[in-house]
């Protein structure tokens, strides 16, 4: 027996058992194991990639976006976001057991021209979402609203992040930007939160902040985007809310008539110098929300921990009225 156990170590454990053992750990606890050896590295990469693909659609959670001018914080409603797609990772260099080809031969994870996926590749996976205007914000509110079947996004049995049961003609969220003469840019506060819906709309069982940043929209950038839109280029550009590019919003820009704008109806100057920038107004359409997938994975795990901590207690987080 001593002879059998003398040479036994974690490196001799079959790959299937190693994956089962490591799968018990949280994603944050798995990260230090990347430095153990190449076998652990490949196993951790496989587990993280699988978790990312499963977590990005948010089957049991909802992603909420708040994007507003600082002066309109209280009047701008939040937006639920429907999952569109998740970037794929080339895992061709992984065999069915999750071990990188070339590890057993002591090679550097390179065979048949296929590079071994790295943690850097995992970090470049993004999840894409479509912001949705809530039903209650699509029409004027009634003092005594009639009861109707709920079409609240995510208000279903699973509370998932898939396409919502919204009307076929969905209003695109927009944000009006006004720049005074010689004003170079404006700013949009951009906050994303991960929530788990409660038994009633606007009640959250858990709430985890994913990102809290600021998007700066420049006068020249909006002018270029509006010109590209007028020429038929409908591919909006992503503006990032942080320097790490973890959360971004893809905008489409359309120029508004300044003289027809209520904001500038009584503020247009009579005379302007040749070197002065005139006041302008643009309409920004929030076409897509882009979030780094591993941030969503970590937020999902924090949400599960938060939910387990309050399990059995009558605690609900109510959404702010809009």
């Amino acid at each position: 027996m001593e002879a059998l156990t003398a040479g036994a170590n974690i490196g001799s454990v079959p790959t299937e058992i190693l994956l089962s053992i490591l799968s018990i750990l949280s994603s944050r606890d798995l990260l230090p194991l990347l430095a153990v050896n190449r076998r652990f590295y490949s196993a951790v990469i496989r587990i993280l990639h699988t978790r990312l693909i499963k977590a990005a659609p948010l089957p049991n959670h909802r992603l909420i976006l708040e994007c507003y001018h600082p002066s309109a914080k209280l009047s701008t409603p939040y937006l639920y976001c429907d999952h569109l797609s998740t970037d794929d990772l080339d895992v061709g260099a992984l065999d069915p057991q999750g071990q990188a080809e070339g590890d057993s031969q002591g090679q550097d994870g390179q065979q048949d021209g296929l590079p071994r996926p790295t943690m850097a590749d995992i970090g470049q996976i993004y999840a894409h979402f479509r912001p949705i205007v809530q039903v209650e914000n699509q029409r004027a509110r009634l003092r005594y609203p009639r009861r109707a079947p709920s079409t609240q996004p995510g208000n279903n049995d699973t509370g998932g992040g898939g396409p919502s049961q919204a009307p076929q003609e969905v209003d695109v969220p927009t944000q009006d930007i006004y720049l005074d003469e010689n004003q170079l840019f404006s700013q949009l506060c951009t906050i994303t939160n991960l929530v788990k819906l409660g038994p009633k709309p606007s009640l959250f069982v858990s709430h985890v902040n994913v990102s809290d940043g600021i998007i700066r929209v420049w006068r020249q950038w909006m002018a270029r985007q509006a010109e590209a839109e007028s020429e038929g280029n409908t591919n909006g550009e992503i503006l990032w809310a942080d320097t790490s590019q973890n959360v971004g919003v893809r905008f489409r820009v359309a120029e508004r008539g300044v003289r027809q704008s209520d904001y500038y109806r009584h503020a247009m100057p009579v005379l302007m110098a040749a070197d002065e920038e005139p006041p302008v107004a643009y309409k920004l359409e929030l076409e897509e929300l882009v979030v780094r997938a591993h941030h969503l994975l970590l937020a999902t795990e924090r949400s599960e921990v938060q939910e387990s901590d309050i399990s059995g207690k009558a605690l609900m987080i109510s959404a702010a009225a809009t």
Side-chain angles (χ1 to χ4, degrees):
M1 179 65 66
E2 294 180 358
L4 293 177
T5 58
N9 54 66
I10 191 66
S12 62
V13 174
T15 302
E16 294 81 0
I17 298 179
L18 179 62
L19 290 174
S20 299
I21 295 174
L22 297 181
S23 297
I24 301 175
L25 302 177
S26 66
S27 299
R28 190 175 295 275
D29 293 335
L30 283 175
L31 296 180
L33 301 180
L34 290 168
V36 174
N37 55 40
R38 287 191 295 180
R39 188 161 183 249
F40 268 70
Y41 188 98
S42 299
V44 171
I45 290 294
R46 178 180 175 88
I47 294 173
L48 291 178
H49 178 249
T50 302
R51 290 181 180 180
L52 287 178
I53 298 302
K54 291 182 178 180
L58 306 177
N60 299 313
H61 296 80
R62 295 290 297 180
L63 192 64
I64 289 180
L65 170 65
E66 298 178 71
C67 188
Y68 55 86
H69 189 272
S71 63
K73 178 179 180 179
L74 299 180
S75 59
T76 304
Y78 63 83
L79 305 169
Y80 281 115
C81 299
D82 288 346
H83 179 256
L84 294 175
S85 63
T86 304
D87 297 339
D88 196 10
L89 173 67
D90 184 8
V91 292
L94 294 179
D95 64 11
Q97 283 76 33
Q99 182 178 3
E101 295 177 353
D103 281 3
S104 59
Q105 291 81 11
Q107 299 174 6
D108 192 20
Q110 182 88 19
Q111 186 168 337
D112 298 332
L114 293 175
R116 182 176 62 183
T118 64
M119 191 60 194
D121 299 326
I122 293 290
Q124 294 304 316
I125 298 179
Y126 285 91
H128 304 263
F129 297 85
R130 179 181 59 189
I132 299 295
V133 178
Q134 303 307 296
V135 175
E136 60 267 24
N137 297 319
Q138 293 179 357
R139 60 181 183 276
R141 295 184 178 180
L142 302 177
R143 184 176 181 182
Y144 302 103
R146 292 176 295 178
R147 301 183 63 87
S150 176
T151 56
Q152 176 94 5
N155 186 22
N156 47 42
D157 294 337
T158 61
S164 59
Q165 301 297 325
Q168 293 182 355
E169 295 184 0
V170 179
D171 292 341
V172 179
T174 60
Q175 183 71 43
D176 292 331
I177 300 295
Y178 304 100
L179 297 179
D180 294 324
E181 55 271 15
N182 296 324
Q183 183 179 356
L184 298 180
F185 63 87
S186 182
Q187 297 187 136
L188 296 175
C189 298
T190 306
I191 304 173
T192 51
N193 296 296
L194 186 70
V195 302
K196 187 168 185 179
L197 298 182
K200 296 181 179 180
S202 299
L203 288 178
F204 305 146
V205 177
S206 63
H207 176 281
V208 176
N209 178 259
V210 178
S211 175
D212 190 344
I214 293 178
I215 292 179
R216 182 168 291 181
V217 286
W218 293 84
R219 172 191 291 263
Q220 295 182 355
W221 177 83
M222 289 187 291
R224 291 196 304 267
Q225 293 297 311
E227 182 179 359
E229 288 285 342
S230 63
E231 295 175 354
N233 183 7
T234 59
N235 294 326
E237 183 175 341
I238 297 178
L239 296 183
W240 300 100
D242 56 345
T243 56
S244 301
Q245 297 187 353
N246 295 320
V247 175
V249 179
R250 186 185 302 276
F251 293 101
R252 295 179 60 180
V253 184
E255 187 173 5
R256 297 186 56 185
V258 175
R259 294 188 180 275
Q260 287 74 30
S261 172
D262 294 335
Y263 185 80
Y264 288 116
R265 184 167 297 173
H266 304 291
M268 284 295 295
V270 178
L271 298 175
M272 292 186 62
D275 57 346
E276 289 184 348
E277 295 283 355
V280 292
Y282 292 93
K283 182 177 72 173
L284 273 60
E285 294 184 359
L286 284 69
E287 188 176 26
E288 183 181 1
L289 174 67
V290 181
V291 184
R292 203 179 292 270
H294 77 262
H295 272 250
L296 284 179
L297 175 59
L298 296 177
T300 301
E301 294 183 352
R302 293 201 305 270
S303 176
E304 293 173 352
V305 172
Q306 185 182 105
E307 184 180 358
S308 63
D309 290 342
I310 64 173
S311 179
K313 302 179 182 178
L315 175 62
M316 292 290 179
I317 305 174
S318 177
T322 57

